[in-house]
PDB file of all heavy atoms in Angstrom:
ATOM      1  N   THR A   1     168.046 103.604 142.308  1.00  0.00           N
ATOM      2  CA  THR A   1     168.122 105.062 142.164  1.00  0.00           C
ATOM      3  C   THR A   1     166.834 105.687 142.833  1.00  0.00           C
ATOM      4  O   THR A   1     167.027 106.678 143.538  1.00  0.00           O
ATOM      5  CB  THR A   1     168.013 105.431 140.613  1.00  0.00           C
ATOM      6  OG1 THR A   1     169.241 104.822 140.017  1.00  0.00           O
ATOM      7  CG2 THR A   1     168.112 106.913 140.488  1.00  0.00           C
ATOM      8  N   LEU A   2     165.708 105.054 142.769  1.00  0.00           N
ATOM      9  CA  LEU A   2     164.563 105.541 143.485  1.00  0.00           C
ATOM     10  C   LEU A   2     164.804 105.611 145.051  1.00  0.00           C
ATOM     11  O   LEU A   2     164.396 106.617 145.732  1.00  0.00           O
ATOM     12  CB  LEU A   2     163.319 104.767 143.159  1.00  0.00           C
ATOM     13  CG  LEU A   2     162.761 104.964 141.761  1.00  0.00           C
ATOM     14  CD1 LEU A   2     161.670 103.928 141.478  1.00  0.00           C
ATOM     15  CD2 LEU A   2     162.145 106.370 141.617  1.00  0.00           C
ATOM     16  N   LEU A   3     165.430 104.565 145.486  1.00  0.00           N
ATOM     17  CA  LEU A   3     165.643 104.448 146.959  1.00  0.00           C
ATOM     18  C   LEU A   3     166.686 105.538 147.341  1.00  0.00           C
ATOM     19  O   LEU A   3     166.603 106.143 148.411  1.00  0.00           O
ATOM     20  CB  LEU A   3     166.121 103.094 147.371  1.00  0.00           C
ATOM     21  CG  LEU A   3     165.040 101.987 147.213  1.00  0.00           C
ATOM     22  CD1 LEU A   3     165.670 100.670 147.640  1.00  0.00           C
ATOM     23  CD2 LEU A   3     163.865 102.409 147.909  1.00  0.00           C
ATOM     24  N   LEU A   4     167.623 105.806 146.453  1.00  0.00           N
ATOM     25  CA  LEU A   4     168.656 106.892 146.797  1.00  0.00           C
ATOM     26  C   LEU A   4     167.913 108.208 146.800  1.00  0.00           C
ATOM     27  O   LEU A   4     168.117 109.068 147.676  1.00  0.00           O
ATOM     28  CB  LEU A   4     169.755 106.890 145.748  1.00  0.00           C
ATOM     29  CG  LEU A   4     170.745 105.797 145.853  1.00  0.00           C
ATOM     30  CD1 LEU A   4     171.621 105.646 144.607  1.00  0.00           C
ATOM     31  CD2 LEU A   4     171.652 105.942 147.094  1.00  0.00           C
ATOM     32  N   ILE A   5     167.083 108.510 145.817  1.00  0.00           N
ATOM     33  CA  ILE A   5     166.392 109.798 145.725  1.00  0.00           C
ATOM     34  C   ILE A   5     165.565 110.008 146.997  1.00  0.00           C
ATOM     35  O   ILE A   5     165.486 111.113 147.551  1.00  0.00           O
ATOM     36  CB  ILE A   5     165.522 109.815 144.445  1.00  0.00           C
ATOM     37  CG1 ILE A   5     166.417 109.931 143.155  1.00  0.00           C
ATOM     38  CG2 ILE A   5     164.577 111.084 144.472  1.00  0.00           C
ATOM     39  CD1 ILE A   5     165.657 109.675 141.938  1.00  0.00           C
ATOM     40  N   LYS A   6     164.839 108.963 147.402  1.00  0.00           N
ATOM     41  CA  LYS A   6     163.983 109.072 148.528  1.00  0.00           C
ATOM     42  C   LYS A   6     164.706 109.336 149.892  1.00  0.00           C
ATOM     43  O   LYS A   6     164.379 110.154 150.663  1.00  0.00           O
ATOM     44  CB  LYS A   6     163.123 107.782 148.776  1.00  0.00           C
ATOM     45  CG  LYS A   6     162.265 107.943 150.030  1.00  0.00           C
ATOM     46  CD  LYS A   6     161.518 106.733 150.406  1.00  0.00           C
ATOM     47  CE  LYS A   6     160.481 106.969 151.497  1.00  0.00           C
ATOM     48  NZ  LYS A   6     161.063 107.472 152.773  1.00  0.00           N
ATOM     49  N   ASN A   7     165.862 108.567 149.973  1.00  0.00           N
ATOM     50  CA  ASN A   7     166.603 108.614 151.312  1.00  0.00           C
ATOM     51  C   ASN A   7     167.669 109.669 151.364  1.00  0.00           C
ATOM     52  O   ASN A   7     168.200 110.016 152.402  1.00  0.00           O
ATOM     53  CB  ASN A   7     167.138 107.254 151.615  1.00  0.00           C
ATOM     54  CG  ASN A   7     166.037 106.313 151.888  1.00  0.00           C
ATOM     55  OD1 ASN A   7     165.395 106.363 152.978  1.00  0.00           O
ATOM     56  ND2 ASN A   7     165.689 105.433 151.019  1.00  0.00           N
ATOM     57  N   MET A   8     167.991 110.242 150.204  1.00  0.00           N
ATOM     58  CA  MET A   8     169.073 111.294 150.145  1.00  0.00           C
ATOM     59  C   MET A   8     168.542 112.434 149.178  1.00  0.00           C
ATOM     60  O   MET A   8     169.242 112.729 148.242  1.00  0.00           O
ATOM     61  CB  MET A   8     170.288 110.706 149.672  1.00  0.00           C
ATOM     62  CG  MET A   8     170.832 109.492 150.485  1.00  0.00           C
ATOM     63  SD  MET A   8     172.433 108.747 149.922  1.00  0.00           S
ATOM     64  CE  MET A   8     173.529 109.802 150.849  1.00  0.00           C
ATOM     65  N   PRO A   9     167.385 113.095 149.609  1.00  0.00           N
ATOM     66  CA  PRO A   9     166.865 114.079 148.681  1.00  0.00           C
ATOM     67  C   PRO A   9     167.754 115.361 148.476  1.00  0.00           C
ATOM     68  O   PRO A   9     167.411 116.112 147.579  1.00  0.00           O
ATOM     69  CB  PRO A   9     165.515 114.464 149.411  1.00  0.00           C
ATOM     70  CG  PRO A   9     165.752 114.064 150.864  1.00  0.00           C
ATOM     71  CD  PRO A   9     166.690 112.946 150.872  1.00  0.00           C
ATOM     72  N   ASP A  10     168.798 115.445 149.291  1.00  0.00           N
ATOM     73  CA  ASP A  10     169.650 116.657 149.140  1.00  0.00           C
ATOM     74  C   ASP A  10     170.630 116.381 148.008  1.00  0.00           C
ATOM     75  O   ASP A  10     171.377 117.329 147.654  1.00  0.00           O
ATOM     76  CB  ASP A  10     170.316 116.961 150.464  1.00  0.00           C
ATOM     77  CG  ASP A  10     171.078 115.771 150.976  1.00  0.00           C
ATOM     78  OD1 ASP A  10     170.543 114.677 150.941  1.00  0.00           O
ATOM     79  OD2 ASP A  10     172.158 115.952 151.496  1.00  0.00           O
ATOM     80  N   LYS A  11     170.805 115.133 147.503  1.00  0.00           N
ATOM     81  CA  LYS A  11     171.788 114.863 146.519  1.00  0.00           C
ATOM     82  C   LYS A  11     171.001 114.792 145.101  1.00  0.00           C
ATOM     83  O   LYS A  11     169.814 114.664 145.052  1.00  0.00           O
ATOM     84  CB  LYS A  11     172.438 113.486 146.793  1.00  0.00           C
ATOM     85  CG  LYS A  11     173.080 113.514 148.078  1.00  0.00           C
ATOM     86  CD  LYS A  11     174.484 113.041 147.918  1.00  0.00           C
ATOM     87  CE  LYS A  11     175.258 112.947 149.265  1.00  0.00           C
ATOM     88  NZ  LYS A  11     175.941 114.102 149.566  1.00  0.00           N
ATOM     89  N   VAL A  12     171.797 114.973 144.067  1.00  0.00           N
ATOM     90  CA  VAL A  12     171.288 114.879 142.695  1.00  0.00           C
ATOM     91  C   VAL A  12     171.740 113.531 142.125  1.00  0.00           C
ATOM     92  O   VAL A  12     173.012 113.272 141.997  1.00  0.00           O
ATOM     93  CB  VAL A  12     171.746 116.028 141.825  1.00  0.00           C
ATOM     94  CG1 VAL A  12     171.167 115.888 140.449  1.00  0.00           C
ATOM     95  CG2 VAL A  12     171.294 117.315 142.451  1.00  0.00           C
ATOM     96  N   PHE A  13     170.811 112.663 141.655  1.00  0.00           N
ATOM     97  CA  PHE A  13     171.176 111.371 141.021  1.00  0.00           C
ATOM     98  C   PHE A  13     170.786 111.328 139.556  1.00  0.00           C
ATOM     99  O   PHE A  13     169.859 111.994 139.095  1.00  0.00           O
ATOM    100  CB  PHE A  13     170.491 110.261 141.807  1.00  0.00           C
ATOM    101  CG  PHE A  13     170.913 110.138 143.242  1.00  0.00           C
ATOM    102  CD1 PHE A  13     170.173 110.732 144.310  1.00  0.00           C
ATOM    103  CD2 PHE A  13     172.089 109.474 143.536  1.00  0.00           C
ATOM    104  CE1 PHE A  13     170.554 110.603 145.557  1.00  0.00           C
ATOM    105  CE2 PHE A  13     172.525 109.384 144.794  1.00  0.00           C
ATOM    106  CZ  PHE A  13     171.721 109.963 145.878  1.00  0.00           C
ATOM    107  N   ASN A  14     171.532 110.482 138.800  1.00  0.00           N
ATOM    108  CA  ASN A  14     171.377 110.300 137.457  1.00  0.00           C
ATOM    109  C   ASN A  14     170.088 109.406 137.360  1.00  0.00           C
ATOM    110  O   ASN A  14     170.193 108.215 137.461  1.00  0.00           O
ATOM    111  CB  ASN A  14     172.540 109.632 136.805  1.00  0.00           C
ATOM    112  CG  ASN A  14     172.358 109.056 135.450  1.00  0.00           C
ATOM    113  OD1 ASN A  14     171.479 109.578 134.707  1.00  0.00           O
ATOM    114  ND2 ASN A  14     173.168 108.151 135.069  1.00  0.00           N
ATOM    115  N   ALA A  15     168.920 109.998 137.034  1.00  0.00           N
ATOM    116  CA  ALA A  15     167.756 109.249 136.871  1.00  0.00           C
ATOM    117  C   ALA A  15     167.568 108.586 135.494  1.00  0.00           C
ATOM    118  O   ALA A  15     166.601 107.807 135.249  1.00  0.00           O
ATOM    119  CB  ALA A  15     166.539 110.136 137.239  1.00  0.00           C
ATOM    120  N   SER A  16     168.564 108.673 134.652  1.00  0.00           N
ATOM    121  CA  SER A  16     168.586 108.026 133.416  1.00  0.00           C
ATOM    122  C   SER A  16     168.873 106.506 133.659  1.00  0.00           C
ATOM    123  O   SER A  16     168.729 105.688 132.739  1.00  0.00           O
ATOM    124  CB  SER A  16     169.510 108.587 132.374  1.00  0.00           C
ATOM    125  OG  SER A  16     168.950 109.774 131.898  1.00  0.00           O
ATOM    126  N   THR A  17     169.187 106.135 134.869  1.00  0.00           N
ATOM    127  CA  THR A  17     169.297 104.697 135.159  1.00  0.00           C
ATOM    128  C   THR A  17     167.957 104.091 135.492  1.00  0.00           C
ATOM    129  O   THR A  17     167.860 102.876 135.661  1.00  0.00           O
ATOM    130  CB  THR A  17     170.213 104.535 136.477  1.00  0.00           C
ATOM    131  OG1 THR A  17     169.620 105.216 137.595  1.00  0.00           O
ATOM    132  CG2 THR A  17     171.586 105.076 136.273  1.00  0.00           C
ATOM    133  N   CYS A  18     166.953 104.889 135.459  1.00  0.00           N
ATOM    134  CA  CYS A  18     165.596 104.480 135.681  1.00  0.00           C
ATOM    135  C   CYS A  18     164.902 104.312 134.358  1.00  0.00           C
ATOM    136  O   CYS A  18     165.078 105.123 133.374  1.00  0.00           O
ATOM    137  CB  CYS A  18     164.812 105.497 136.459  1.00  0.00           C
ATOM    138  SG  CYS A  18     165.373 105.778 138.155  1.00  0.00           S
ATOM    139  N   GLY A  19     164.050 103.312 134.266  1.00  0.00           N
ATOM    140  CA  GLY A  19     163.086 103.187 133.048  1.00  0.00           C
ATOM    141  C   GLY A  19     161.915 104.072 133.314  1.00  0.00           C
ATOM    142  O   GLY A  19     161.723 104.696 134.376  1.00  0.00           O
ATOM    143  N   ASP A  20     161.133 104.178 132.264  1.00  0.00           N
ATOM    144  CA  ASP A  20     159.923 105.042 132.325  1.00  0.00           C
ATOM    145  C   ASP A  20     158.975 104.527 133.458  1.00  0.00           C
ATOM    146  O   ASP A  20     158.143 105.216 133.957  1.00  0.00           O
ATOM    147  CB  ASP A  20     159.166 105.094 131.014  1.00  0.00           C
ATOM    148  CG  ASP A  20     159.986 105.954 129.981  1.00  0.00           C
ATOM    149  OD1 ASP A  20     160.813 106.711 130.406  1.00  0.00           O
ATOM    150  OD2 ASP A  20     159.712 105.685 128.707  1.00  0.00           O
ATOM    151  N   ASN A  21     159.083 103.201 133.808  1.00  0.00           N
ATOM    152  CA  ASN A  21     158.203 102.675 134.879  1.00  0.00           C
ATOM    153  C   ASN A  21     158.526 103.239 136.240  1.00  0.00           C
ATOM    154  O   ASN A  21     157.788 103.081 137.145  1.00  0.00           O
ATOM    155  CB  ASN A  21     158.334 101.138 134.907  1.00  0.00           C
ATOM    156  CG  ASN A  21     159.671 100.585 135.206  1.00  0.00           C
ATOM    157  OD1 ASN A  21     160.741 101.314 135.048  1.00  0.00           O
ATOM    158  ND2 ASN A  21     159.775  99.325 135.495  1.00  0.00           N
ATOM    159  N   CYS A  22     159.609 104.041 136.285  1.00  0.00           N
ATOM    160  CA  CYS A  22     159.902 104.717 137.601  1.00  0.00           C
ATOM    161  C   CYS A  22     159.407 106.153 137.676  1.00  0.00           C
ATOM    162  O   CYS A  22     159.406 106.783 138.724  1.00  0.00           O
ATOM    163  CB  CYS A  22     161.437 104.738 137.757  1.00  0.00           C
ATOM    164  SG  CYS A  22     162.228 103.143 137.908  1.00  0.00           S
ATOM    165  N   ALA A  23     158.942 106.616 136.539  1.00  0.00           N
ATOM    166  CA  ALA A  23     158.518 108.045 136.479  1.00  0.00           C
ATOM    167  C   ALA A  23     157.428 108.412 137.453  1.00  0.00           C
ATOM    168  O   ALA A  23     157.485 109.461 138.105  1.00  0.00           O
ATOM    169  CB  ALA A  23     157.993 108.435 135.058  1.00  0.00           C
ATOM    170  N   GLY A  24     156.441 107.537 137.662  1.00  0.00           N
ATOM    171  CA  GLY A  24     155.432 107.892 138.630  1.00  0.00           C
ATOM    172  C   GLY A  24     155.867 107.929 140.067  1.00  0.00           C
ATOM    173  O   GLY A  24     155.444 108.731 140.840  1.00  0.00           O
ATOM    174  N   PHE A  25     156.940 107.084 140.318  1.00  0.00           N
ATOM    175  CA  PHE A  25     157.539 107.113 141.696  1.00  0.00           C
ATOM    176  C   PHE A  25     158.266 108.386 141.835  1.00  0.00           C
ATOM    177  O   PHE A  25     158.289 108.919 143.040  1.00  0.00           O
ATOM    178  CB  PHE A  25     158.453 105.887 141.966  1.00  0.00           C
ATOM    179  CG  PHE A  25     157.555 104.655 142.153  1.00  0.00           C
ATOM    180  CD1 PHE A  25     157.576 103.659 141.239  1.00  0.00           C
ATOM    181  CD2 PHE A  25     156.818 104.434 143.312  1.00  0.00           C
ATOM    182  CE1 PHE A  25     156.890 102.458 141.416  1.00  0.00           C
ATOM    183  CE2 PHE A  25     156.099 103.280 143.513  1.00  0.00           C
ATOM    184  CZ  PHE A  25     156.111 102.312 142.612  1.00  0.00           C
ATOM    185  N   ILE A  26     158.941 108.874 140.849  1.00  0.00           N
ATOM    186  CA  ILE A  26     159.688 110.110 140.973  1.00  0.00           C
ATOM    187  C   ILE A  26     158.760 111.280 141.227  1.00  0.00           C
ATOM    188  O   ILE A  26     158.958 112.145 142.050  1.00  0.00           O
ATOM    189  CB  ILE A  26     160.499 110.338 139.688  1.00  0.00           C
ATOM    190  CG1 ILE A  26     161.710 109.376 139.591  1.00  0.00           C
ATOM    191  CG2 ILE A  26     161.004 111.847 139.585  1.00  0.00           C
ATOM    192  CD1 ILE A  26     162.505 109.390 138.242  1.00  0.00           C
ATOM    193  N   LEU A  27     157.619 111.278 140.549  1.00  0.00           N
ATOM    194  CA  LEU A  27     156.610 112.360 140.756  1.00  0.00           C
ATOM    195  C   LEU A  27     156.063 112.193 142.205  1.00  0.00           C
ATOM    196  O   LEU A  27     155.790 113.295 142.879  1.00  0.00           O
ATOM    197  CB  LEU A  27     155.532 112.279 139.756  1.00  0.00           C
ATOM    198  CG  LEU A  27     155.906 112.587 138.280  1.00  0.00           C
ATOM    199  CD1 LEU A  27     154.703 112.405 137.383  1.00  0.00           C
ATOM    200  CD2 LEU A  27     156.458 114.008 138.209  1.00  0.00           C
ATOM    201  N   LYS A  28     155.854 110.993 142.651  1.00  0.00           N
ATOM    202  CA  LYS A  28     155.359 110.837 144.044  1.00  0.00           C
ATOM    203  C   LYS A  28     156.358 111.366 145.050  1.00  0.00           C
ATOM    204  O   LYS A  28     155.982 112.085 145.976  1.00  0.00           O
ATOM    205  CB  LYS A  28     155.113 109.296 144.294  1.00  0.00           C
ATOM    206  CG  LYS A  28     154.574 108.913 145.654  1.00  0.00           C
ATOM    207  CD  LYS A  28     154.374 107.469 145.756  1.00  0.00           C
ATOM    208  CE  LYS A  28     153.730 107.173 147.141  1.00  0.00           C
ATOM    209  NZ  LYS A  28     153.382 105.771 147.261  1.00  0.00           N
ATOM    210  N   LEU A  29     157.667 111.102 144.839  1.00  0.00           N
ATOM    211  CA  LEU A  29     158.703 111.611 145.751  1.00  0.00           C
ATOM    212  C   LEU A  29     158.670 113.140 145.725  1.00  0.00           C
ATOM    213  O   LEU A  29     158.990 113.821 146.735  1.00  0.00           O
ATOM    214  CB  LEU A  29     160.055 111.014 145.402  1.00  0.00           C
ATOM    215  CG  LEU A  29     160.273 109.584 145.750  1.00  0.00           C
ATOM    216  CD1 LEU A  29     161.530 109.041 145.168  1.00  0.00           C
ATOM    217  CD2 LEU A  29     160.136 109.293 147.298  1.00  0.00           C
ATOM    218  N   ALA A  30     158.519 113.714 144.534  1.00  0.00           N
ATOM    219  CA  ALA A  30     158.574 115.157 144.390  1.00  0.00           C
ATOM    220  C   ALA A  30     157.429 115.844 145.011  1.00  0.00           C
ATOM    221  O   ALA A  30     157.416 117.061 145.344  1.00  0.00           O
ATOM    222  CB  ALA A  30     158.670 115.549 142.947  1.00  0.00           C
ATOM    223  N   LYS A  31     156.327 115.129 145.260  1.00  0.00           N
ATOM    224  CA  LYS A  31     155.180 115.804 146.045  1.00  0.00           C
ATOM    225  C   LYS A  31     155.529 115.870 147.481  1.00  0.00           C
ATOM    226  O   LYS A  31     154.991 116.725 148.246  1.00  0.00           O
ATOM    227  CB  LYS A  31     153.910 114.927 145.804  1.00  0.00           C
ATOM    228  CG  LYS A  31     153.324 115.085 144.470  1.00  0.00           C
ATOM    229  CD  LYS A  31     152.011 114.278 144.355  1.00  0.00           C
ATOM    230  CE  LYS A  31     151.390 114.501 142.929  1.00  0.00           C
ATOM    231  NZ  LYS A  31     150.167 113.687 142.881  1.00  0.00           N
ATOM    232  N   GLU A  32     156.398 114.942 147.997  1.00  0.00           N
ATOM    233  CA  GLU A  32     156.770 114.909 149.407  1.00  0.00           C
ATOM    234  C   GLU A  32     157.898 115.827 149.722  1.00  0.00           C
ATOM    235  O   GLU A  32     157.958 116.406 150.858  1.00  0.00           O
ATOM    236  CB  GLU A  32     157.114 113.513 149.783  1.00  0.00           C
ATOM    237  CG  GLU A  32     155.889 112.508 149.652  1.00  0.00           C
ATOM    238  CD  GLU A  32     156.306 111.114 149.785  1.00  0.00           C
ATOM    239  OE1 GLU A  32     157.563 110.847 150.087  1.00  0.00           O
ATOM    240  OE2 GLU A  32     155.447 110.208 149.616  1.00  0.00           O
ATOM    241  N   ASN A  33     158.916 115.959 148.809  1.00  0.00           N
ATOM    242  CA  ASN A  33     160.050 116.741 149.038  1.00  0.00           C
ATOM    243  C   ASN A  33     160.534 117.410 147.714  1.00  0.00           C
ATOM    244  O   ASN A  33     160.157 116.870 146.606  1.00  0.00           O
ATOM    245  CB  ASN A  33     161.258 115.860 149.408  1.00  0.00           C
ATOM    246  CG  ASN A  33     161.132 115.423 150.816  1.00  0.00           C
ATOM    247  OD1 ASN A  33     161.044 116.144 151.846  1.00  0.00           O
ATOM    248  ND2 ASN A  33     161.160 114.041 151.086  1.00  0.00           N
ATOM    249  N   ASP A  34     161.249 118.514 147.801  1.00  0.00           N
ATOM    250  CA  ASP A  34     161.776 119.000 146.650  1.00  0.00           C
ATOM    251  C   ASP A  34     162.995 118.128 146.286  1.00  0.00           C
ATOM    252  O   ASP A  34     163.770 117.744 147.090  1.00  0.00           O
ATOM    253  CB  ASP A  34     162.434 120.405 146.891  1.00  0.00           C
ATOM    254  CG  ASP A  34     161.269 121.526 147.016  1.00  0.00           C
ATOM    255  OD1 ASP A  34     160.207 121.203 146.510  1.00  0.00           O
ATOM    256  OD2 ASP A  34     161.641 122.543 147.538  1.00  0.00           O
ATOM    257  N   ILE A  35     162.988 117.583 145.000  1.00  0.00           N
ATOM    258  CA  ILE A  35     164.095 116.742 144.564  1.00  0.00           C
ATOM    259  C   ILE A  35     164.614 117.239 143.202  1.00  0.00           C
ATOM    260  O   ILE A  35     163.809 117.878 142.434  1.00  0.00           O
ATOM    261  CB  ILE A  35     163.657 115.229 144.425  1.00  0.00           C
ATOM    262  CG1 ILE A  35     162.463 115.092 143.417  1.00  0.00           C
ATOM    263  CG2 ILE A  35     163.307 114.688 145.771  1.00  0.00           C
ATOM    264  CD1 ILE A  35     162.239 113.643 143.100  1.00  0.00           C
ATOM    265  N   THR A  36     165.843 117.018 142.972  1.00  0.00           N
ATOM    266  CA  THR A  36     166.461 117.351 141.738  1.00  0.00           C
ATOM    267  C   THR A  36     167.111 116.075 141.112  1.00  0.00           C
ATOM    268  O   THR A  36     167.740 115.297 141.875  1.00  0.00           O
ATOM    269  CB  THR A  36     167.618 118.401 141.940  1.00  0.00           C
ATOM    270  OG1 THR A  36     167.072 119.567 142.563  1.00  0.00           O
ATOM    271  CG2 THR A  36     168.244 118.731 140.587  1.00  0.00           C
ATOM    272  N   ILE A  37     166.738 115.845 139.884  1.00  0.00           N
ATOM    273  CA  ILE A  37     167.268 114.738 139.229  1.00  0.00           C
ATOM    274  C   ILE A  37     168.028 115.180 137.991  1.00  0.00           C
ATOM    275  O   ILE A  37     167.791 116.223 137.438  1.00  0.00           O
ATOM    276  CB  ILE A  37     166.203 113.616 138.790  1.00  0.00           C
ATOM    277  CG1 ILE A  37     165.175 114.288 137.852  1.00  0.00           C
ATOM    278  CG2 ILE A  37     165.604 113.085 139.975  1.00  0.00           C
ATOM    279  CD1 ILE A  37     164.176 113.254 137.281  1.00  0.00           C
ATOM    280  N   ASN A  38     168.968 114.376 137.579  1.00  0.00           N
ATOM    281  CA  ASN A  38     169.702 114.566 136.287  1.00  0.00           C
ATOM    282  C   ASN A  38     169.185 113.562 135.218  1.00  0.00           C
ATOM    283  O   ASN A  38     169.111 112.338 135.542  1.00  0.00           O
ATOM    284  CB  ASN A  38     171.237 114.426 136.494  1.00  0.00           C
ATOM    285  CG  ASN A  38     172.059 114.559 135.350  1.00  0.00           C
ATOM    286  OD1 ASN A  38     172.923 113.794 134.996  1.00  0.00           O
ATOM    287  ND2 ASN A  38     171.804 115.601 134.534  1.00  0.00           N
ATOM    288  N   LEU A  39     168.805 114.046 134.068  1.00  0.00           N
ATOM    289  CA  LEU A  39     168.448 113.140 133.021  1.00  0.00           C
ATOM    290  C   LEU A  39     169.294 113.371 131.776  1.00  0.00           C
ATOM    291  O   LEU A  39     169.683 114.504 131.466  1.00  0.00           O
ATOM    292  CB  LEU A  39     166.942 113.322 132.577  1.00  0.00           C
ATOM    293  CG  LEU A  39     165.910 112.905 133.617  1.00  0.00           C
ATOM    294  CD1 LEU A  39     164.479 113.347 133.195  1.00  0.00           C
ATOM    295  CD2 LEU A  39     165.890 111.406 133.725  1.00  0.00           C
ATOM    296  N   ARG A  40     169.737 112.283 131.177  1.00  0.00           N
ATOM    297  CA  ARG A  40     170.399 112.298 129.887  1.00  0.00           C
ATOM    298  C   ARG A  40     169.552 111.769 128.735  1.00  0.00           C
ATOM    299  O   ARG A  40     170.049 111.480 127.667  1.00  0.00           O
ATOM    300  CB  ARG A  40     171.667 111.529 130.102  1.00  0.00           C
ATOM    301  CG  ARG A  40     172.642 112.289 131.019  1.00  0.00           C
ATOM    302  CD  ARG A  40     173.383 111.389 131.988  1.00  0.00           C
ATOM    303  NE  ARG A  40     174.014 112.097 133.049  1.00  0.00           N
ATOM    304  CZ  ARG A  40     175.242 112.472 133.068  1.00  0.00           C
ATOM    305  NH1 ARG A  40     176.042 112.092 132.013  1.00  0.00           N
ATOM    306  NH2 ARG A  40     175.732 113.074 134.112  1.00  0.00           N
TER     307      ARG A  40
END
């Protein structure tokens, strides 16, 4: 999911497939590009 978010920032991915250990990487990606994630 992190690789999808990084390489396809124009799409919205279900980030609930990520554990909390991915949160820092999501924030890092959001500093580089505007990203939208879906959380359940």
Side-chain angles (χ1 to χ4, degrees):
T1 302
L2 288 169
L3 295 180
L4 287 167
I5 293 168
K6 179 186 188 301
N7 290 287
M8 303 180 90
D10 57 318
K11 302 234 183 265
V12 179
F13 295 99
N14 170 23
S16 285
T17 60
C18 297
D20 290 339
N21 59 344
C22 296
F25 287 109
I26 290 172
L27 293 176
K28 181 177 182 177
L29 289 171
K31 285 182 181 177
E32 298 169 5
N33 287 304
D34 289 339
I35 61 169
T36 302
I37 61 172
N38 178 226
L39 286 173
R40 289 140 195 261

